[in-house]
Amino acid sequence: MAPTTRQGISPFLEPGPRTKANSLAILQLSRDNFLPVHLQHATGEHDGYAEGVVVNTRFGSFPHSTMIGVPWGSQIRASKVDTGSRGRKRKRLPGDDAGRDENGNEVEADVAELEIETESAEPTTDTPSGPKQAIAASSGFVHVLPPTPEIWTTSLPHRTQVVYTPDYSYILHRIRARPGAVIIEAGAGSGSFSHASARAVYNGYPKEGERKGKVISFEYHEERYKKMKQELSQHGLEGIVHLTHRDVYKGGFLINDGESPEAEAVFLDLPAPWDALPALSRRRPEGAEGADESGKPWVSPLNSKKNAYICTFSPCIEQVTKTVSAMRRLGWVDIDMVEIANRKLHTARDRVGLNMPQDRGVNNSARDVEEAISKLAEIEEKFRQHARPSRSAANTSSKNGDDGKATSNGKGASREEETFTSSRPWADGRLIVRGEPEIKTHTSYLVFAILPREWSEEDEAAALAKYPLGQEQAVVGDMDKASRKKLRQELLKKQGDKKQKKKEKAEKLDEKMDETSG
């Protein structure tokens, strides 16, 4: 039975302060290694584990019971799990005939071992009422994090090439994704963009007949559609993401038997986006296949009251060329192409010094001339001490009264200790920023365009009623040079009069203040 999220709440949108059962959580194994897990309550032994459901990683075993009800970001220690009879096999000894039956015939090894294990196990009448309490292990830990589109993109099961965070963050900005908007997505694939766009348009879960932010997603591949549908149900996003199994090249972008989604933004992650563009028109496209024979009125999937913003995701420049040509023919304007090249920068301190020979990442060379001279002096002092006769060294140690345990350079050692304790090693050195030697990203070209809203006769009449013609006080470009000069002089005169009035008012105020003070 697939775990489900409580109705109306998605961990991607409202995770809450703590982890919950029957919900999604992300385990951070290392810096860039994440593992999605559906937390489940266990009432008894599960899959051979007495502690219930257990996640096994290279850092140890983690029962779900230790990860439920804890604050997000908590560090979860590994546990010593009891596997019961799970994975136990009898060790075969030389000359052992455990693999023979009563008549001496050989049988399969696993069958013989299973029989021996069954016979040796003592029957028990006591059955535990719940899972066994987990015991913390001596090492190994993970962090449990709330699911976000960014973390989900790095940990989701790849079914197709996904849209990564640097791309979809810029795409959502350019197509004006905001709370309450409706976005059409063609090519759901692995669901990376679906989760990010659902968070961008979310302004509450829609009720019956209510219009809220929504993502209208289409996927033509049946297996990917089923897996994506299951993920949306588990993540509690069915009320935000409307997924449809359809080939948009032939079926278009309408929903619910010909109803328009009235979308304001479009994202096409398709092999041939130019074949899907005719269905994203304001009116019936000329030469559209089957459009005239159907007899039905043309219904546009776009919002007629707003501009439509589109982005197409293409891996090669040939697809971009065909897409741009189709956009120009269909009336899209402000066409632009962008390539995102994400590059990570590593910041570290360039630590240099001869006094830190055992520190990791330190360049063991002289920081400056003074340090080099002091190091040479220290080496020479040690050489002189080594060259002294043993009697002289014994006399020196006896004079110091330390029974030979102290050295003649004890002052230098204490000075070294004092310098080390008084300094801050983590703050030494200059800050150095280095970029990746190789940009780890995939090639993708993003084509953006705008389809302006249509200006109907009703809109023209409403504009005329609000801004009637013939009553303008002045129209730009409708005045000759002399009239413009006269108007400018009048404006300057008015400004001069205002300044004069302010000056007179200030003088009167000064006079009153003088009279009061006198």
Side-chain angles (χ1 to χ4, degrees):
M1 180 178 174
T4 57
T5 308
R6 192 169 50 154
Q7 182 67 25
I9 296 179
S10 171
F12 282 86
L13 306 175
E14 301 174 11
R18 293 176 176 269
T19 60
K20 295 176 290 187
N22 299 327
S23 183
L24 180 68
I26 306 294
L27 300 185
Q28 185 183 25
L29 307 181
S30 59
R31 180 177 179 179
D32 296 320
N33 190 5
F34 300 92
L35 178 66
V37 175
H38 288 279
L39 301 179
Q40 304 176 41
H41 271 309
T43 57
E45 185 175 331
H46 184 276
D47 197 20
Y49 292 103
E51 289 80 6
V53 188
V54 176
V55 178
N56 291 308
T57 69
R58 61 190 179 96
F59 299 100
S61 299
F62 301 89
H64 283 205
S65 58
T66 62
M67 297 183 286
I68 296 177
V70 299
W72 293 111
S74 299
Q75 183 187 88
I76 308 298
R77 298 294 299 272
S79 301
K80 299 177 181 179
V81 297
D82 182 10
T83 60
S85 61
R86 177 186 174 92
R88 294 183 183 177
K89 287 189 177 181
R90 184 177 182 275
K91 185 177 181 181
R92 185 67 56 84
L93 300 175
D96 193 358
D97 59 351
R100 298 180 181 274
D101 58 9
E102 298 177 355
N103 300 325
N105 299 323
E106 293 186 359
V107 296
E108 294 183 0
D110 55 350
V111 176
E113 293 167 2
L114 180 61
E115 291 177 354
I116 293 174
E117 183 70 28
T118 305
E119 292 174 0
S120 61
E122 297 181 359
T124 58
T125 57
D126 298 334
T127 57
S129 59
K132 182 179 178 181
Q133 184 69 25
I135 302 175
S138 58
S139 62
F141 64 87
V142 295
H143 290 90
V144 57
L145 305 177
T148 62
E150 291 78 15
I151 301 178
W152 177 249
T153 299
T154 61
S155 60
L156 57 79
H158 283 229
R159 298 182 287 270
T160 58
Q161 177 64 49
V162 303
V163 183
Y164 289 97
T165 301
D167 292 315
Y168 70 62
S169 59
Y170 184 74
I171 292 170
L172 293 172
H173 167 70
R174 288 290 301 269
I175 64 177
R176 311 298 197 272
R178 57 193 180 278
V182 178
I183 299 178
I184 289 178
E185 177 198 14
S190 300
S192 173
F193 185 83
S194 303
H195 286 73
S197 55
R199 182 184 62 180
V201 304
Y202 173 69
N203 64 337
Y205 289 86
K207 299 179 182 179
E208 188 68 26
E210 187 180 15
R211 180 180 174 86
K212 291 282 189 179
K214 209 170 185 64
V215 179
I216 311 299
S217 184
F218 297 90
E219 176 58 49
Y220 83 98
H221 195 274
E222 186 175 2
E223 291 299 324
R224 292 200 293 264
Y225 163 77
K226 291 180 179 178
K227 292 181 180 179
M228 182 69 181
K229 192 77 173 177
Q230 182 182 8
E231 286 180 356
L232 293 176
S233 176
Q234 294 174 353
H235 300 168
L237 293 174
E238 286 186 314
I240 309 297
V241 182
H242 184 278
L243 185 63
T244 304
H245 177 223
R246 182 188 302 169
D247 183 2
V248 295
Y249 296 137
K250 300 178 181 179
F253 298 92
L254 302 182
I255 58 175
N256 300 332
D257 298 331
E259 181 183 349
S260 173
E262 296 184 358
E264 306 158 19
V266 182
F267 175 68
L268 302 181
D269 187 4
L270 302 172
W274 54 89
D275 289 337
L277 286 175
L280 295 169
S281 302
R282 298 289 187 187
R283 298 182 180 181
R284 185 194 304 272
E286 297 181 2
E289 184 180 354
D292 296 330
E293 292 81 357
S294 63
K296 297 181 180 180
W298 169 260
V299 178
S300 174
L302 305 178
N303 191 338
S304 60
K305 301 297 183 182
K306 298 181 179 180
N307 295 341
Y309 299 87
I310 192 173
C311 174
T312 64
F313 187 91
S314 302
C316 63
I317 201 66
E318 289 80 8
Q319 294 179 346
V320 172
T321 303
K322 292 183 179 180
T323 303
V324 172
S325 299
M327 286 180 174
R328 288 172 176 168
R329 291 195 306 269
L330 295 171
W332 294 84
V333 297
D334 200 10
I335 302 174
D336 185 21
M337 190 199 78
V338 177
E339 180 184 5
I340 305 296
N342 183 39
R343 186 174 186 178
K344 292 184 179 180
L345 299 176
H346 177 66
T347 304
R349 286 192 178 272
D350 187 16
R351 299 177 63 192
V352 179
L354 296 171
N355 59 337
M356 299 178 288
Q358 297 180 353
D359 288 4
R360 185 177 180 182
V362 176
N363 183 9
N364 293 322
S365 59
R367 183 181 304 169
D368 48 24
V369 177
E370 294 181 358
E371 186 177 9
I373 294 174
S374 62
K375 189 66 176 179
L376 288 174
E378 181 183 350
I379 294 173
E380 291 179 358
E381 180 66 22
K382 289 183 179 180
F383 179 76
R384 285 195 297 269
Q385 292 176 7
H386 182 72
R388 289 176 184 175
S390 58
R391 184 177 300 175
S392 176
N395 294 335
T396 305
S397 62
S398 62
K399 288 180 181 179
N400 291 337
D402 55 0
D403 297 331
K405 295 181 181 179
T407 58
S408 60
N409 65 336
K411 294 183 178 180
S414 62
R415 194 184 305 115
E416 246 181 48
E417 285 184 4
E418 184 180 354
T419 304
F420 178 78
T421 54
S422 61
S423 63
R424 296 180 300 170
W426 59 88
D428 291 343
R430 298 176 302 165
L431 283 176
I432 304 296
V433 179
R434 297 184 180 91
E436 289 180 312
E438 181 181 355
I439 299 178
K440 300 176 183 179
T441 183
H442 63 283
T443 303
S444 60
Y445 300 105
L446 309 176
V447 180
F448 298 93
I450 301 174
L451 186 64
R453 60 167 294 188
E454 283 193 336
W455 195 254
S456 62
E457 295 182 359
E458 291 79 5
D459 297 331
E460 184 71 23
L464 286 175
K466 189 174 182 179
Y467 306 103
L469 295 175
Q471 301 180 10
E472 300 85 358
Q473 296 180 356
V475 180
V476 178
D478 193 33
M479 300 176 65
D480 55 4
K481 187 175 181 180
S483 301
R484 289 199 302 271
K485 186 176 180 180
K486 183 178 180 180
L487 181 61
R488 192 180 303 112
Q489 290 176 353
E490 292 177 356
L491 292 175
L492 292 174
K493 185 179 179 181
K494 289 181 180 180
Q495 293 178 358
D497 294 341
K498 289 182 180 179
K499 290 181 180 180
Q500 184 65 26
K501 289 180 180 180
K502 288 182 179 180
K503 186 177 179 181
E504 292 176 356
K505 188 176 181 180
E507 290 177 353
K508 290 181 180 180
L509 184 61
D510 292 340
E511 291 178 358
K512 288 182 179 181
M513 292 180 65
D514 293 340
E515 292 176 358
T516 305
S517 60

